[in-house]
Amino acid sequence: MDNLLSVLSREEKIAFTLRSLYCKYGYSQYKMSKFEEYDLYVKNKDFLVSENIITFTDTDGKLMALKPDVTLSIIKNSKDLEGKVMKVYYNENVYRVSKGTASFKEIMQAGLECLGEVDDDIITESLYLAAKSLDVISSENALEISNLDIVSGVINAFNLQSSAQNDILEFLGDKNVQGITAVCSREDLSDSQTEVLQKLATVYGAPSKVLNNLKAFSINKETELAVNRFISIINNLIKMGVEDKIFIDFSVVSDMKYYNGIAFKGFVEGIPVSVISGGQYDKLMNKMGKKSKAVGFAVYLDEISKLSNTYKGEE
Amino acid sequence: MKKMLNVALPKGRLGEKVYDMFEKAGFECPSIKEVNRKLIFENEEKGIRYFWVKPSDVAIYVERGAADIGVAGKDILLEYKPDVYELLDLKMGKCNMAVAAKKGFVDDRNKTLTVATKFINIAKKHYASIGRDIDIIHLNGSIELAPILGLSDVIVDIVETGSTLKENNLEVVEKFVDISARLIANKSSFKFKCEEIEEIRSKLSKQI
């Protein structure tokens, strides 16, 4: 057995370690076909990382696509189960255009999804598993967590035009405080309103530093509820022992058409881009005609291969 | 051992001014002023390493993590949309992204407008926002020649003083974005070298 392990590449080792981690927490493997009807992706084009899709005509004349994404297929094939949660993980190849070469690439992606009656415990568990997944990849890691309900709640509270809202979201994603300030003065917001929006970009860091400052975003009933829920989720994560790996950071902004609530990104030292990306996507479920809620994340195994050869993760 | 912070500076006058700001902030690296062909300069004690790169490449070095932070023009950030944090407006190298044409040019909305530019994405976005149908001609330099020779109706380019335009009988039709140098950071580096990067940001912001 030892011999067998020694021939595995780092990505393979990581893929198997993740698999055993997810199995331990009761997730079952989700296997799917390589192809999906093209229609599914056209309807949800913005959800995909890259718009380009490899298509071909099946023998019966149907236009088919090589999967550019796994989540949409899982949602499509899921059923609304009352009072239950479907917990699955996957390890699949997807086909996307890579930014550098502008040509199609096969990318190995792992991930997990929970669909159904998703409550705060399930959300906490998926955050915990994301943190643990990072540990598998490298000991030097950080999971940054945002809450889109707080972000959109705060931005909606000031009756801004949608173009101004989009500008603020973009600047927030860039951590561009001066940009946010400029939009606020363009839109004639008061000093206190400007300050709250600036805080979205300036309040970030370890929970011990940030948790007490979150009350600044409780500006109405809606955001107060979101803040309290967020604090309790973070506190539960701390109790589970991952405090030193998690960071609160509202600059993690995902497309609000699909995502809501918790959103997160995972980084490991030595890889310039995020290796984990995930969050709640109740709105996408809704768009696809499902009543259930959902949370999940993807691990970009192709990025991990760029890590230098000193493997420091958990064996 | 202290982690080294990699800084990509844009080659040229602007980059030298930016380095002076870093020096004033306490991140000096005397060897950078020596005249030689070295590409990388480091001050181990201060934990900082500088390198000069082509200004339009700074964002790539930072996005790909070869540099943790860098200084890039807003024009480059708007054109290439690199996935980086934009931490500070250094208010240096100020200029405008503008539309320019031959003096007295009137836009005939009955026909497609031809636009010559280095900044394809910025030009596309600008004309899409006002609903104008355009044809783009991508040039890499001497953009001002295009309207003079009839290659294009207008150009979209950076305008600082406008003297090149004036000397060639061209004029600014409209300025539509303010451009200046920005401190940018790699998103992953920002997590693991947060303290160092924040220190630089706050010390630089005090000099603006």
Side-chain angles (χ1 to χ4, degrees):
Chain A
M1 194 62 189
D2 278 351
N3 273 335
L4 208 57
L5 281 176
S6 65
V7 297
L8 290 177
S9 73
R10 185 174 51 222
E11 296 97 277
E12 286 166 326
K13 266 185 209 159
I14 289 172
F16 285 123
T17 318
L18 290 177
R19 189 165 159 178
S20 84
L21 172 70
Y22 304 152
C23 274
K24 215 162 70 188
Y25 282 83
Y27 290 74
S28 55
Q29 187 167 16
Y30 195 96
K31 265 279 166 204
M32 62 194 88
S33 144
K34 271 196 164 49
F35 319 128
E36 192 71 70
E37 275 186 50
Y38 180 61
D39 213 32
L40 173 69
Y41 303 113
V42 176
K43 283 182 190 149
N44 302 288
K45 226 170 179 175
D46 303 340
F47 178 76
L48 303 174
V49 179
S50 79
E51 277 194 4
N52 296 300
I53 298 165
I54 305 177
T55 56
F56 65 97
T57 315
D58 212 345
T59 50
D60 58 1
K62 265 190 197 152
L63 189 59
M64 303 297 283
L66 254 72
K67 281 193 319 275
D69 167 88
V70 178
T71 310
L72 287 176
S73 305
I74 295 181
I75 299 174
K76 194 193 79 176
N77 299 324
S78 73
K79 290 198 180 66
D80 282 324
L81 302 167
E82 230 165 278
K84 277 191 198 157
V85 182
M86 175 174 97
K87 290 166 51 162
V88 297
Y89 75 86
Y90 61 84
N91 198 339
E92 295 280 333
N93 286 323
V94 294
Y95 302 86
R96 288 180 184 164
V97 172
S98 83
K99 201 178 169 188
T101 59
S103 57
F104 282 104
K105 267 181 82 178
E106 185 182 61
I107 293 166
M108 211 209 322
Q109 188 176 309
L112 62 81
E113 316 281 352
C114 306
L115 291 83
E117 203 96 331
V118 170
D119 57 15
D120 285 1
D121 288 343
I122 298 282
I123 293 168
T124 312
E125 182 179 274
S126 72
L127 281 166
Y128 175 76
L129 286 174
K132 283 285 157 197
S133 304
L134 285 173
D135 279 340
V136 170
I137 299 163
S138 167
S139 55
E140 292 298 316
N141 64 61
L143 183 69
E144 55 177 21
I145 308 169
S146 168
N147 185 310
L148 300 176
D149 291 342
I150 296 179
V151 173
S152 65
V154 168
I155 293 176
N156 289 337
F158 300 145
N159 297 320
L160 291 168
Q161 287 180 4
S162 70
S163 67
Q165 292 191 359
N166 289 337
D167 287 348
I168 288 183
L169 279 177
E170 198 184 321
F171 287 137
L172 178 59
D174 292 343
K175 285 193 186 290
N176 183 344
V177 185
Q178 287 155 312
I180 293 176
T181 313
V183 176
C184 291
S185 70
R186 193 179 79 205
E187 299 291 322
D188 284 328
L189 291 189
S190 70
D191 287 353
S192 62
Q193 288 172 327
T194 305
E195 199 190 341
V196 176
L197 288 172
Q198 284 170 336
K199 272 194 180 155
L200 280 177
T202 55
V203 169
Y204 58 83
S208 58
K209 193 181 120 195
V210 174
L211 274 181
N212 293 325
N213 297 326
L214 292 181
K215 289 284 175 210
F217 303 120
S218 300
I219 50 175
N220 56 28
K221 276 237 166 71
E222 189 197 340
T223 53
E224 191 181 338
L225 200 74
V227 167
N228 289 338
R229 255 185 92 180
F230 189 44
I231 292 176
S232 94
I233 287 176
I234 298 291
N235 277 330
N236 283 334
L237 274 173
I238 293 172
K239 273 183 216 142
M240 295 168 93
V242 289
E243 180 173 11
D244 50 342
K245 299 290 187 192
I246 58 173
F247 298 87
I248 294 166
D249 193 324
F250 293 106
S251 76
V252 182
V253 283
S254 312
D255 192 334
M256 301 275 186
K257 280 205 294 288
Y258 300 102
Y259 295 96
N260 59 291
I262 298 286
F264 53 93
K265 278 202 156 78
F267 293 87
V268 301
E269 194 167 12
I271 297 180
V273 297
S274 60
V275 291
I276 284 184
S277 171
Q280 290 175 255
Y281 49 94
D282 301 351
K283 284 186 189 166
L284 174 61
M285 295 287 280
N286 215 311
K287 263 189 87 155
M288 292 182 69
K290 310 280 176 187
K291 278 180 250 140
S292 304
K293 295 175 171 174
V295 63
F297 62 82
V299 185
Y300 304 118
L301 293 169
D302 60 315
E303 295 295 342
I304 295 162
S305 61
K306 294 175 190 161
L307 205 58
S308 66
N309 280 320
T310 44
Y311 180 65
K312 289 191 284 188
E314 271 173 13
E315 288 292 331
Chain B
M1 198 185 77
K2 205 172 173 184
K3 281 181 199 165
M4 290 295 267
L5 193 71
N6 295 310
V7 186
L9 294 175
K11 245 185 236 165
R13 231 175 2 161
L14 175 74
E16 282 161 25
K17 275 198 221 161
V18 170
Y19 169 74
D20 290 341
M21 286 179 81
F22 275 84
E23 191 178 70
K24 253 192 228 159
F27 297 93
E28 73 278 5
C29 182
S31 62
I32 208 166
K33 300 251 159 134
E34 292 163 16
V35 181
N36 57 29
R37 282 170 181 270
K38 265 170 83 176
L39 295 170
I40 297 176
F41 306 90
E42 58 180 53
N43 184 342
E44 220 166 307
E45 188 196 336
K46 297 273 177 180
I48 200 148
R49 183 184 291 136
Y50 295 98
F51 38 89
W52 301 110
V53 302
K54 194 175 167 173
S56 54
D57 286 344
V58 172
I60 299 171
Y61 280 79
V62 175
E63 184 182 30
R64 296 276 181 151
D68 299 311
I69 59 173
V71 172
K74 182 70 180 172
D75 50 330
I76 302 297
L77 302 180
L78 287 171
E79 178 65 18
Y80 299 105
K81 296 263 167 213
D83 191 18
V84 296
Y85 290 134
E86 190 185 317
L87 297 177
L88 187 66
D89 181 351
L90 296 172
K91 309 253 162 95
M92 294 166 77
K94 277 189 180 178
C95 52
N96 289 281
M97 190 57 73
V99 178
K102 276 207 268 193
K103 267 194 188 133
F105 170 79
V106 183
D107 184 7
D108 175 7
R109 293 203 65 135
N110 277 326
K111 57 176 200 141
T112 304
L113 184 74
T114 53
V115 182
T117 186
K118 249 193 282 192
F119 303 98
I120 297 181
N121 295 325
I122 294 176
K124 267 192 208 159
K125 196 178 162 203
H126 172 65
Y127 282 104
S129 75
I130 54 174
R132 184 72 174 98
D133 181 35
I134 58 162
D135 185 17
I136 287 200
I137 300 167
H138 183 216
L139 297 178
N140 293 305
S142 307
I143 318 289
E144 294 86 356
L145 260 177
I148 299 171
L149 297 178
L151 180 61
S152 73
D153 298 321
V154 298
I155 60 172
V156 167
D157 204 12
I158 286 172
V159 176
E160 209 176 327
T161 57
S163 52
T164 317
L165 292 178
K166 237 176 256 162
E167 275 173 37
N168 291 292
N169 209 27
L170 301 171
E171 65 182 4
V172 170
V173 177
E174 81 181 297
K175 294 176 175 173
F176 61 93
V177 189
D178 295 333
I179 306 290
S180 58
R182 312 291 165 107
L183 176 70
I184 57 173
N186 176 271
K187 290 193 170 179
S188 182
S189 301
F190 191 78
K191 310 280 136 28
F192 302 105
K193 297 177 181 173
C194 192
E195 253 172 64
E196 294 89 339
I197 296 174
E198 297 242 282
E199 188 188 346
I200 288 178
R201 163 157 76 169
S202 94
K203 285 187 172 162
L204 291 181
S205 73
K206 281 180 193 138
Q207 295 176 43
I208 292 165

